[in-house]
Amino acid sequence: MMSWRFIYIWTSVPCLCYAILVNFFVQESPRWLLVQGRKDEAIQTLKRLAALSGNIVTPCFSKLQYFEPICEIGGLSTMKMLWDRKWAMRRLTAIMIVGFGVGLVYYGMPLIVGSLGSNLYLSVTFNALAEFPSSLVTFFLVGKINRRSSLLVLTTISGIFSLCCVVNNEIIGAKVQMVLEVVSFFSTCTCFDIILIYSIELFPTCVRNSALSLIRQALVLGGVLAPMLVVRGREKKLWSFGVFGLVICCCGLFTVCLPETRGMSICDTMDEEEYKEADSKAKNNGS
């Protein structure tokens, strides 16, 4: 039998191959190059991408908007841009709090299914299968569902169903508890997918990478704390399902601090995003 070291090595090999292939075959984003002030490289990348499909880019790029290069030293300049703008910091704080709650349940729920009293293997199978339809739902409905309201509804559903799992098996039955847990986990998985899309739309190109990195850290931080609650929850489910439900419900409420982005254009600079937000507020006040 192979040790966990060999398993870890062999599961890492595909990731290494993927990283090498990405380096040689994936083009840099022309939008990002333009925002960084590298206009010539952006144009050349566009031409190479067009050539891959057998097309030729012929229009004149003289009117292509030019941005001053953003000097990044260890990402400090982009972080400063986020901190200096109140609206950006408000968005970042709110979506990170929501991400923390979602990450806590997303990474913690599969670890605690053994305490439900139902068949462990069946519960694990249903949890694994729940991720696939949640991704399909997000994929097919991403152009039709509102980001803010869907996150608010899904986090509430996940929290309520997670709290229901605290009830003893003798009252509602092990099978009912398993259904409640799967529904809660399905809602959380859908939230996870929506947050990743929502985060891209909330921040302009010049700071998007830094913002997404922080949001991912918030999701993972929830996953770091989840095992501690899982251990306590094996003795009393209030420490696992109860805390999971309360946290994701409370964190989900911070979604109301975020703007709706469905159908909105993605901006390149902070000033452009500020102008769009001010224009949206003026239209809402006028109506």
Side-chain angles (χ1 to χ4, degrees):
M1 181 181 293
M2 291 195 303
S3 69
W4 65 267
R5 293 181 178 87
F6 287 101
I7 295 175
Y8 189 81
I9 290 173
W10 286 110
T11 53
S12 301
V13 169
C15 299
L16 178 62
C17 296
Y18 174 78
I20 295 173
L21 291 174
V22 166
N23 183 61
F24 286 102
F25 295 102
V26 176
Q27 302 287 343
E28 185 56 83
S29 167
R31 192 185 191 113
W32 182 83
L33 289 171
L34 183 63
V35 171
Q36 297 302 311
R38 296 154 63 176
K39 179 179 176 181
D40 294 335
E41 292 181 55
I43 295 172
Q44 293 302 319
T45 302
L46 284 173
K47 291 181 178 180
R48 285 196 296 270
L49 291 173
L52 292 175
S53 57
N55 298 315
I56 300 176
V57 178
T58 56
C60 177
F61 292 94
S62 59
K63 295 183 180 181
L64 192 64
Q65 187 177 359
Y66 176 80
F67 299 100
E68 290 295 329
I70 299 175
C71 180
E72 296 188 14
I73 304 176
L76 292 178
S77 64
T78 54
M79 293 304 303
K80 188 176 184 300
M81 293 170 67
L82 287 168
W83 293 333
D84 289 344
R85 312 288 178 118
K86 291 183 179 180
W87 62 267
M89 201 61 199
R90 183 175 64 252
R91 290 185 187 184
L92 183 61
T93 303
I95 195 65
M96 285 183 67
I97 293 174
V98 178
F100 171 81
V102 172
L104 182 71
V105 180
Y106 179 80
Y107 292 108
M109 192 73 80
L111 301 177
I112 197 62
V113 292
S115 65
L116 291 174
S118 57
N119 186 293
L120 175 61
Y121 299 102
L122 194 60
S123 298
V124 172
T125 301
F126 283 146
N127 272 268
L129 293 174
E131 295 203 46
F132 181 68
S134 69
S135 300
L136 289 179
V137 167
T138 307
F139 178 78
F140 287 109
L141 298 181
V142 67
K144 300 178 181 179
I145 58 175
N146 290 338
R147 305 336 183 207
R148 186 169 58 180
S149 57
S150 59
L151 272 181
L152 187 60
V153 171
L154 288 169
T155 51
T156 303
I157 292 174
S158 177
I160 292 174
F161 278 73
S162 180
L163 288 170
C164 291
C165 292
V166 178
V167 182
N168 292 330
N169 295 352
E170 292 78 9
I171 299 176
I172 61 175
K175 292 183 178 179
V176 175
Q177 274 196 330
M178 184 172 65
V179 172
L180 294 173
E181 186 274 333
V182 171
V183 172
S184 176
F185 185 63
F186 171 83
S187 301
T188 304
C189 291
T190 309
C191 286
F192 193 97
D193 295 332
I194 293 176
I195 281 179
L196 298 180
I197 298 171
Y198 197 13
S199 302
I200 293 174
E201 299 171 344
L202 283 173
F203 301 95
T205 307
C206 59
V207 297
R208 187 173 298 126
N209 288 341
S210 298
L212 285 175
S213 298
L214 291 173
I215 295 165
R216 289 287 301 183
Q217 290 301 313
L219 288 163
V220 173
L221 179 60
V224 170
L225 298 178
M228 304 177 191
L229 296 172
V230 169
V231 173
R232 294 294 302 273
R234 288 170 182 166
E235 302 173 359
K236 194 172 183 180
K237 288 190 290 186
L238 180 63
W239 284 103
S240 54
F241 290 107
V243 175
F244 288 166
L246 288 174
V247 170
I248 195 170
C249 276
C250 294
C251 291
L253 294 176
F254 283 84
T255 309
V256 300
C257 302
L258 298 170
E260 180 55 53
T261 58
R262 182 176 71 91
M264 305 292 289
S265 60
I266 296 178
C267 299
D268 292 315
T269 65
M270 301 293 279
D271 292 335
E272 187 180 351
E273 185 71 36
E274 281 188 357
Y275 175 80
K276 185 180 75 172
E277 185 177 23
D279 185 57
S280 178
K281 288 181 178 179
K283 289 181 179 178
N284 292 333
N285 294 333
S287 59

